[in-house]
Amino acid sequence: MVNLAELGTLTLDGAIEEAEPVLLAMAWELATSTWSGSVPVTLIGFGRSTADHNPDRFRHFTSVDEFSKADATPPSVVLSAEPFDVKQRECLAAVVAASTAASDGWRLDVSTKSTLIDDLGIEVEFQRLTVDQAEELVATLTAEVKAEQMPANDSPNVPAEPPSATGPELRLLGPVGLHNVDPTKVEGKKINRLTELAAFLLLHPGATAEEISRQLGTDTRPWSPATRQGYISRLRTWLGHDENGDLYLPNIEVNGGGYHLSKSMNSDWHRFRQLVGSGPNRDVSDRRARLEAALELVTGMPFSSIGPGRYAWNSWHQREMIDAIVDAAHMLAEICQQDGDLPAARRAILRGLLAEPVSELLYRDLLRVEHRAGNRTAVKDAAGKLADIAAALDVDLDEETATLVDTLLGSGEGRLTRHLHCTHPNTSR
């Protein structure tokens, strides 16, 4: 905890891609902490969506020049991804990216995991929040607000089927691909890049031009404006129009607020969420049918079969998809076991393991199913695979897993209980 008002200026030494996650974490700390509730905050050169989500607290400027020209800017805590002369501006305190100008405050190195604060004689590790994580945070909080505003007895009418059976569809729950489009309409060597661009826009609605350039390029060589616009134009042409004559990738002037794919653009991930997101009041048979339909969309680990160095922005989304698939497979397996349908339970578990081959939760489900089926050999095989996974990853398995194997096979019968120490109780997966 730093008293910014007393310190005055905090300068972050490091490249912008190293400083921005630190600035974003600071912004969200200021936005959510009760002690800073009355402090106005100005963001410069980063965090537009963060500011838009907190309009009562935050002001956003794209550059120092725009900030300097603003009329009657009230004194505030300024977080800037661009260097500027703090002394020329009236502000409560400032945290700025590195510059060559001397600073009366602290200079902290953000290029390493931890940094030494000479004035205090301690080493600290900064909180960091990536752009993708901040976008996910905004989306989650926005969804929560909408859910709170919806009457308790009013559930959204979510279609179980895609908007169009013939329009373009992104497949992300397995090998990535863009389906129902004509591959001959674009250069073959650009298909992978265009598919990644489509996936990025689908999962980051409202992305700015700068975000696209940074995320689809590399840290050292982001896409130039010409490269970015060329790919966007090619993707717009490739996707074409929906049945109403509207573009699947509208011009930014039409939709405003960044780049969006049309609501009629389909994906297996959106269909999956529609199917598993039904309310708890649905009867068990309907719930089972929807979960089965959702798992049919899973063809492997999400975002698999992508080229090296691509989709560097997707780790957050991939983890979310994997967790959702594991949860759906576990839930369906339990429903099928309650129905006495062990083959269906087994199919659900194996489909989930396509997405997460090392899920202990699903392996425990499989152990129980094979035990109920009287298939002791399959129980020993599943326990052996768990032992292989633990050895390959050099990890300890859950105490619950070891206890289950002991119960089903007898103490010391499986390789899992003979050779592995299990020291992680109460782990969910």
Side-chain angles (χ1 to χ4, degrees):
M1 301 290 289
V2 175
N3 187 341
L4 286 175
E6 181 178 347
L7 187 63
T9 306
L10 185 64
T11 303
L12 305 180
D13 283 324
I16 181 58
E17 59 268 21
E18 297 163 337
E20 185 173 4
V22 175
L23 290 167
L24 274 171
M26 289 182 176
W28 277 98
E29 183 73 24
L30 288 167
T32 56
S33 295
T34 55
W35 58 265
S36 60
S38 60
V39 179
V41 181
T42 297
L43 308 183
I44 302 176
F46 78 102
R48 178 183 292 276
S49 62
T50 294
D52 289 345
H53 186 71
N54 302 277
D56 296 334
R57 295 281 315 286
F58 286 5
R59 297 187 66 185
H60 177 270
F61 298 92
T62 57
S63 65
V64 170
D65 184 57
E66 181 183 344
F67 171 60
S68 299
K69 294 177 181 177
D71 296 328
T73 303
S76 62
V77 171
V78 176
L79 307 180
S80 176
E82 297 182 8
F84 73 100
D85 190 343
V86 177
K87 295 181 179 180
Q88 293 181 0
R89 301 297 303 179
E90 184 181 358
C91 57
L92 300 176
V95 181
V96 300
S99 66
T100 56
S103 170
D104 294 332
W106 292 351
R107 297 186 73 94
L108 301 179
D109 185 4
V110 296
S111 64
T112 58
K113 185 176 181 180
S114 60
T115 185
L116 177 67
I117 301 180
D118 293 328
D119 298 70
L120 301 181
I122 61 173
E123 191 167 292
V124 299
E125 183 176 337
F126 284 112
Q127 291 186 91
R128 287 176 167 84
L129 191 69
T130 67
V131 173
D132 281 353
Q133 290 169 336
E135 294 292 341
E136 285 291 333
L137 189 55
V138 169
T140 300
L141 293 175
T142 301
E144 289 177 353
V145 170
K146 290 181 178 178
E148 290 174 359
Q149 294 172 344
M150 183 176 295
N153 60 352
D154 185 17
S155 59
N157 182 20
V158 180
E161 295 301 320
S164 171
T166 58
E169 180 182 56
L170 268 166
R171 305 277 177 85
L172 304 174
L173 304 182
V176 175
L178 188 53
H179 295 250
N180 298 333
V181 290
D182 185 354
T184 64
K185 289 188 175 181
V186 294
E187 299 175 60
K189 63 182 181 181
K190 297 190 182 299
I191 287 179
N192 290 337
R193 286 293 181 91
L194 292 174
T195 301
E196 182 181 1
L197 175 58
F200 181 80
L201 294 177
L202 181 85
L203 297 171
H204 300 84
T208 65
E210 292 76 14
E211 289 168 341
I212 294 171
S213 290
R214 184 173 63 252
Q215 297 294 340
L216 275 295
T218 65
D219 290 339
T220 55
R221 296 188 63 184
W223 279 359
S224 68
T227 298
R228 178 186 65 240
Q229 195 53 48
Y231 277 116
I232 289 174
S233 296
R234 287 186 183 93
L235 180 60
R236 181 178 292 122
T237 301
W238 193 24
L239 295 177
H241 298 77
D242 63 20
E243 55 191 15
N244 296 319
D246 298 321
L247 288 166
Y248 282 107
L249 175 51
N251 293 298
I252 193 169
E253 295 82 4
V254 174
N255 57 49
Y259 289 92
H260 297 256
L261 289 177
S262 164
K263 291 182 179 179
S264 58
M265 180 72 185
N266 197 28
S267 78
D268 54 359
W269 172 230
H270 286 162
R271 289 169 59 193
F272 181 94
R273 290 195 300 177
Q274 289 168 349
L275 288 162
V276 302
S278 56
N281 294 329
R282 294 183 179 275
D283 61 59
V284 176
S285 62
D286 179 66
R287 186 70 172 148
R288 172 176 171 174
R290 293 172 71 90
L291 287 170
E292 286 175 336
L295 288 173
E296 284 296 319
L297 299 172
V298 179
T299 58
M301 181 176 289
F303 287 100
S304 55
S305 300
I306 58 177
R310 306 310 310 165
Y311 294 83
W313 49 267
N314 81 334
S315 57
W316 181 279
H317 300 287
Q318 185 186 47
R319 187 68 260 168
E320 180 186 15
M321 292 175 186
I322 290 173
D323 288 348
I325 293 168
V326 169
D327 288 342
H330 172 65
M331 191 180 306
L332 180 56
E334 288 192 329
I335 292 174
C336 292
Q337 288 188 76
Q338 291 169 5
D339 291 343
D341 191 345
L342 299 183
R346 187 183 294 111
R347 286 195 300 271
I349 295 164
L350 295 178
R351 185 63 63 124
L353 288 171
L354 285 177
E356 179 63 302
V358 297
S359 170
E360 284 189 61
L361 177 67
L362 293 182
Y363 265 105
R364 288 196 294 268
D365 288 336
L366 184 60
L367 288 165
R368 294 185 180 99
V369 167
E370 299 299 0
H371 176 71
R372 287 188 61 182
N375 194 341
R376 184 177 176 84
T377 299
V379 173
K380 295 186 72 171
D381 287 345
K385 288 180 181 178
L386 273 172
D388 292 339
I389 290 170
L393 298 179
D394 192 23
V395 297
D396 296 323
L397 295 176
D398 299 350
E399 183 179 308
E400 181 182 352
T401 304
T403 301
L404 179 62
V405 173
D406 269 350
T407 301
L408 301 183
L409 291 178
S411 180
E413 285 297 313
R415 287 193 294 122
L416 180 64
T417 55
R418 287 204 308 269
H419 300 307
L420 290 176
H421 297 290
C422 300
T423 58
H424 289 275
N426 304 320
T427 303
S428 61
R429 302 185 189 284

